[in-house]
Amino acid sequence: MNEDAWFTDDARGVYLVADGMGGHAAGEVAARMAIERVGEHLCRLRDERASVEPLKTGIVDAVERANLEILQRAAREPDKRGMGTTLTALVLVPEGTYLIGQVGDSRAYRLRSQQLDQLTKDHTVVQERVDLGLLTPEQARIHPLSHILTRALGIEPDVEVDLLTGALEPGDVFLLASDGLSGMLSDEEIREIVMRGGRGSLGAAAQALVEAAKREGGLDNVTVVLVKLLDED
Ligand code: CA
């Protein structure tokens, strides 16, 4: 059962990954609702040539709306009770800025000058312990409670969205992934595979990431979105 969902629109520079939770395929429903609602809204704003500030507001508005819709549907349909989803949204704005909206533990990474940085922060119990210095990130990754979220869509009427922005550079590679990837592979393993792919086909790199996660146990759905900005030359 695949409870991940994703969306990509290269023309508008909008990329999303969501990882649903809840039994009876309800997680997939929640993930799809989030992707559709937020994807549509961001594409419309990009068509209106919205700049970074309205896009920030737009991500928050769309996530809040999707959150309420998921809650309302779960209240109406008993087999959807308890469904929820993560959401990681990336928008590449032509002025040379990236914007990320984050809820949950799907992740956005950036590979630049051979260095892989995790741009988002997981909203999980183990991440809170990392922040307190009680666990290392590597211990957190393999911790039995690593999947316990502190934030998601579909849990409460209020949802807090982390917003991150930064400058784009030619050759930047962005990676969005569900925890089916980051839970199975270390950042170093991810970096090596993306680096190898960065010189060739991105599609092959995405496939290699999924295959590597499956080899490590593949205990979960694995979703990977890779985006590369063209080099200047
Ligand atoms: Ca997952």
Side-chain angles (χ1 to χ4, degrees):
M1 192 187 302
N2 186 9
E3 299 207 311
D4 287 356
W6 70 94
F7 175 86
T8 68
D9 187 322
D10 287 325
R12 298 179 175 92
V14 176
Y15 305 89
L16 308 169
V17 166
D19 180 356
M21 67 205 87
H24 308 291
E28 190 188 350
V29 172
R32 296 231 131 268
M33 287 173 75
I35 291 283
E36 280 165 22
R37 166 63 66 199
V38 178
E40 250 169 45
H41 193 64
L42 291 177
C43 284
R44 190 163 58 238
L45 288 172
R46 287 287 297 110
D47 285 343
E48 293 165 1
R49 305 191 180 281
S51 58
V52 175
E53 287 307 317
L55 282 166
K56 279 185 187 170
T57 317
I59 288 185
V60 173
D61 288 348
V63 169
E64 285 176 349
R65 211 157 348 124
N67 180 55
L68 289 177
E69 285 173 7
I70 291 166
L71 280 169
Q72 286 159 1
R73 182 151 175 199
R76 272 198 318 270
E77 301 176 29
D79 63 331
K80 307 280 189 305
R81 203 159 291 155
M83 71 174 173
T85 185
T86 72
L87 185 74
T88 301
L90 167 69
V91 187
L92 304 180
V93 190
E95 297 89 88
T97 310
Y98 68 82
L99 168 60
I100 292 169
Q102 166 76 359
V103 180
D105 70 344
S106 302
R107 289 182 178 176
Y109 292 89
R110 182 193 59 208
L111 183 73
R112 175 184 285 173
S113 310
Q114 313 200 354
Q115 187 181 326
L116 184 79
D117 288 313
Q118 182 184 335
L119 301 174
T120 52
K121 191 157 163 175
D122 295 347
H123 300 135
T124 58
V125 170
V126 292
Q127 180 61 47
E128 290 183 345
R129 294 186 191 173
V130 171
D131 292 343
L132 291 169
L134 301 174
L135 289 175
T136 66
E138 188 53 21
Q139 285 170 329
R141 183 171 75 84
I142 54 175
H143 196 281
L145 299 180
S146 64
H147 60 286
I148 307 289
L149 298 179
T150 52
R151 272 195 236 173
L153 281 74
I155 309 301
E156 290 172 0
D158 289 321
V159 60
E160 194 186 340
V161 185
D162 286 351
L163 291 173
L164 309 152
T165 58
L168 295 171
E169 285 186 13
D172 278 350
V173 177
F174 289 88
L175 163 65
L176 305 186
S178 61
D179 70 334
L181 182 82
S182 49
M184 290 294 140
L185 301 178
S186 67
D187 284 4
E188 183 52 30
E189 289 168 312
I190 292 172
R191 189 186 77 90
E192 281 173 17
I193 297 170
V194 178
M195 282 275 299
R196 259 181 275 143
R199 291 191 288 272
S201 139
L202 271 194
Q207 194 60 45
L209 284 169
V210 172
E211 294 303 327
K214 280 158 77 177
R215 268 200 307 280
E216 289 302 313
L219 302 174
D220 197 357
N221 302 134
V222 188
T223 298
V224 172
V225 172
L226 276 176
V227 191
K228 183 171 196 257
L229 271 71
L230 296 177
D231 291 309
E232 269 164 324
D233 50 348

